[in-house]
């Protein structure tokens, strides 16, 4: 009889252990599934943000073409979420005496999470400071080597006031009405300075550009951000072409 009571007690203990074990396995499975779901969600969200950034970069490139446009132009840019804003930016041309021309070019900036696309000074820049690159180059050209010609295209947004906040299925219209003003700056040694929050992309671009001797950083009084300054080799005949875009952003 004593043996039978002991066997019954052991069976009960084993039954309770089995129940606890199953419960623990279920809990671990639920936690694992939850973590997997969160991981998949993060990947999906990251991929959507990357797709949006690529779509916006291509949209900026197609819609904002001041060097190829005179008069009215409109294009739509689509993204699933994010924010479009305009920010102040300045382009300067300098010679040995100092600043000879200043243009308020400004920037159209798209941001969604850690993704960023900016149209500034005629270029489309992707990424943030420390990890940025040019999706489309600015309209600034120069002869190879010493001397020659320098043409500085300054694409000025001249945007109407307002901010567009993105939503799911957001599509915005970028409208421009472009006019051009060409100014001869004469023969001299020149530098071009672009105010930007992504200096790395601009510095690499200028270092790889024809006629540029060096590219460095400089903070100009009154600017919110540092400028990248490209120094061109030798004396050049320079021209400044301001492309006044009169940008409007609408739904």
């Amino acid at each position: 009889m004593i043996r039978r009571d002991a066997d019954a007690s052991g069976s009960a203990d084993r039954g309770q252990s089995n129940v606890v074990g199953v419960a623990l396995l279920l809990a671990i499975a639920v936690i694992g599934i939850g973590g997997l779901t969160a991981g998949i969600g993060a990947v999906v969200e990251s991929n959507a943000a990357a797709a949006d950034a690529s779509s916006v970069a291509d949209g900026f490139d197609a819609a904002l073409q001041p060097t190829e446009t005179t008069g009215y132009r409109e294009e739509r840019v689509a993204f699933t979420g994010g924010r479009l804003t305009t920010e102040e930016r300045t382009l300067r041309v300098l010679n040995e005496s100092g600043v000879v021309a200043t243009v308020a070019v400004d920037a159209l900036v798209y941001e969604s999470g850690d993704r960023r696309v900016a149209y500034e000074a005629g270029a489309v820049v992707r990424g943030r400071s420390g990890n940025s690159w040019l999706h489309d180059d600015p309209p600034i050209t120069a002869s190879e080597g010493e001397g020659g010609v320098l043409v500085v295209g300054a694409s000025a947004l001249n945007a109407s006031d307002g901010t567009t906040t993105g939503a799911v299925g957001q599509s915005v219209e970028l409208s421009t009405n472009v006019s051009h003003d060409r100014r001869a700056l004469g023969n001299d040694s020149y530098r071009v300075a672009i105010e930007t929050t992504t200096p790395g992309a601009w510095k690499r671009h200028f270092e790889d550009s024809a006629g540029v001797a060096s590219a460095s950083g400089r903070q100009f009084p009154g600017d919110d951000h540092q400028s990248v300054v490209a120094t061109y080799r030798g004396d050049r005949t320079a021209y400044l072409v301001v492309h006044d875009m009169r940008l409007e952003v609408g739904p």
Side-chain angles (χ1 to χ4, degrees), residues 119-144:
Y119 179 92
E120 57 185 13
V124 178
V125 187
R126 291 191 59 178
R128 297 181 181 274
S129 180
N131 182 26
S132 60
W133 65 98
L134 262 62
H135 178 85
D136 193 40
D137 293 344
I140 301 172
T141 59
S143 304
E144 291 276 6

Side-chain angles (χ1 to χ4, degrees), residues 29-215:
V30 169
I31 293 172
I33 292 171
L36 179 61
T37 302
I40 293 173
V43 170
V44 170
E45 184 176 344
S46 177
N47 288 341
D52 273 351
S54 295
S55 174
V56 170
D58 290 338
F60 282 1
D61 189 21
L64 306 175
Q65 291 283 349
T67 60
E68 301 174 9
T69 305
T70 297
Y72 190 76
R73 182 189 185 100
E74 64 179 31
E75 295 282 348
R76 286 201 169 271
V77 177
F79 46 90
T80 59
R83 181 181 177 88
L84 274 177
T85 57
T86 54
E87 300 178 3
E88 294 184 353
R89 296 286 190 276
T90 303
L91 176 150
R92 294 176 174 86
V93 182
L94 305 91
N95 63 10
E96 289 298 319
S97 301
V99 178
V100 295
T102 302
V103 183
V105 291
D106 297 338
L108 180 64
V109 180
Y110 166 80
E111 292 182 290
S112 179
D114 62 348
R115 308 288 175 167
R116 181 180 183 277
V117 181
Y119 179 92
E120 57 185 13
V124 178
V125 187
R126 291 191 59 178
R128 297 181 181 274
S129 180
N131 182 26
S132 60
W133 65 98
L134 262 62
H135 178 85
D136 193 40
D137 293 344
I140 301 172
T141 59
S143 304
E144 291 276 6
E146 300 280 343
V149 176
L150 170 64
V151 179
V152 181
S155 302
L157 290 180
N158 193 8
S160 58
D161 293 336
T163 298
T164 299
T165 301
V168 174
Q170 179 71 52
S171 175
V172 297
E173 185 175 85
L174 302 184
S175 303
T176 57
N177 192 2
V178 183
S179 60
H180 312 275
D181 180 63
R182 181 176 178 271
R183 173 184 168 191
L185 301 179
N187 189 264
D188 210 328
S189 58
Y190 288 100
R191 289 164 289 159
V192 176
I194 307 289
E195 183 187 7
T196 181
T197 62
T198 51
W202 281 97
K203 188 172 185 293
R204 289 190 299 273
H205 167 74
F206 280 129
E207 288 174 342
D208 292 337
S209 297
V212 175
S214 64

